[in-house]
Amino acid sequence: MTNLTRSLFILLLYVGSSSAQQCDINFNYGVIIDPAHVRIVNHGQTYIQINGPHQLFVKGREITLDNEQQAQLSEYVSGIRAQVPAIVAIAIEGVELGLKAVNKVISGLTGENSASHQQFQEKFDEMKWRLRARFNHSDESYYIAPQDFDDFDQVFAGEFEKEIETIVSDSVGTILVAVGEAMTHREEQSSEQRVETFDQQIETMGDDIKFDISNQASALEEKAANICAKLVKLDDIENKLQIGIPALAEFNLIETH
């Protein structure tokens, strides 16, 4: 079973590291979006609130804006409303991509309707639901904590990393048990032949999944690059607002490197 175990671990480790997206941008504050407001939160307190397209409050005090500043703020708000949901979506998609690949491994080796596969699928679906509920409260309500977007697939890792590791670890054990049971029924083959057969099956499955993951990971990379480019443009607008509005002089939500 040594070769088989190694093959499984190599495949699952590949799954866990297949979708990293680089983006040298930080959010220095939390961002909360709902249909009526965009709020920038600092240590649990609302630092900036924007009502509608261009009504600005800084630390609870409304700031009077001229027409040019209103136009800049409106463009900034529109960008935040577009990019925060995109960030949430791509991070969730990265997590789902990894779990989907593990799911394929289990269904391929134990059978799609096996008890082992159904058990994993339940955990998978529950985690996806909680992941979405945590950061996407409704179709127009989102929350992102202060964080570094160096790796898009790690955006939510702090909260869910241990759970993902547990699911994957449990999956390895489940696969090995199922494979062991299947191997005992191949009475026409020697023990070495049985191991070799399953090693070949794992290798073929690994190649198929890697090909599938590679295509989806490339699509994620394109989305990440697009988000990064738009965040850089938003940072430029933010810098103009800081220069023109004294109350925002110390404000710096988006930090690019």
Side-chain angles (χ1 to χ4, degrees):
M1 294 288 285
T2 302
N3 292 336
L4 177 60
T5 304
R6 185 174 66 251
S7 298
L8 283 168
F9 269 109
I10 289 173
L11 177 56
L12 291 174
L13 284 173
Y14 174 84
V15 165
S17 61
S18 62
S19 58
Q21 328 295 326
Q22 295 299 316
C23 188
D24 289 336
I25 294 175
N26 295 353
F27 269 17
N28 292 318
Y29 307 100
V31 180
I32 300 172
I33 293 176
D34 62 42
H37 315 95
V38 169
R39 290 195 290 140
I40 313 299
V41 181
N42 186 30
H43 299 298
Q45 300 294 320
T46 298
Y47 179 14
I48 291 172
Q49 179 168 315
I50 305 166
N51 300 338
H54 46 61
Q55 184 182 26
L56 175 66
F57 291 84
V58 178
K59 297 180 180 179
R61 179 170 168 263
E62 185 172 5
I63 307 300
T64 302
L65 305 176
D66 61 29
N67 291 337
E68 181 181 1
Q69 291 168 343
Q70 287 182 6
Q72 289 174 343
L73 186 63
S74 179
E75 185 178 2
Y76 183 72
V77 170
S78 295
I80 292 292
R81 285 192 176 279
Q83 296 315 309
V84 167
I87 291 167
V88 171
I90 197 174
I92 291 175
E93 191 173 349
V95 172
E96 288 182 345
L97 180 59
L99 290 176
K100 178 183 177 182
V102 178
N103 194 23
K104 284 186 176 182
V105 174
I106 295 176
S107 64
L109 288 175
T110 68
E112 190 169 344
N113 295 318
S114 68
S116 300
H117 177 250
Q118 289 179 359
Q119 184 179 19
F120 174 78
Q121 188 64 49
E122 288 175 3
K123 291 181 180 179
F124 182 20
D125 291 342
E126 180 186 350
M127 182 177 170
K128 284 198 299 182
W129 180 85
R130 288 191 294 106
L131 183 63
R132 291 182 180 278
R134 174 66 179 82
F135 300 98
N136 180 194
H137 301 298
S138 71
D139 288 342
E140 297 181 273
S141 179
Y142 296 85
Y143 167 72
I144 289 184
Q147 57 201 288
D148 183 352
F149 296 118
D150 181 55
D151 287 325
F152 267 99
D153 62 346
Q154 295 297 317
V155 169
F156 302 146
E159 182 151 345
F160 292 95
E161 185 174 12
K162 289 184 179 179
E163 184 171 354
I164 293 171
E165 289 176 354
T166 298
I167 290 175
V168 172
S169 297
D170 289 347
S171 299
V172 172
T174 299
I175 293 170
L176 292 177
V177 169
V179 167
E181 291 175 352
M183 288 174 66
T184 61
H185 291 89
R186 298 199 173 206
E187 298 177 355
E188 72 280 3
Q189 295 181 325
S190 67
S191 296
E192 290 184 2
Q193 287 174 326
R194 293 172 190 171
V195 172
E196 185 177 353
T197 297
F198 275 96
D199 258 353
Q200 291 172 350
Q201 185 179 352
I202 287 289
E203 185 175 351
T204 300
M205 183 182 302
D207 290 340
D208 291 342
I209 291 175
K210 285 179 183 179
F211 179 77
D212 185 36
I213 292 296
S214 177
N215 289 338
Q216 294 180 63
S218 294
L220 279 178
E221 287 172 3
E222 290 182 10
K223 291 179 183 179
N226 184 47
I227 291 173
C228 285
K230 290 182 177 179
L231 287 177
V232 169
K233 290 182 179 180
L234 274 181
D235 188 38
D236 289 339
I237 298 171
E238 184 177 278
N239 291 337
K240 293 176 183 177
L241 289 169
Q242 287 176 277
I243 293 171
I245 303 172
L248 294 179
E250 298 179 358
F251 169 70
N252 192 25
L253 169 65
I254 304 170
E255 182 178 354
T256 58
H257 303 288

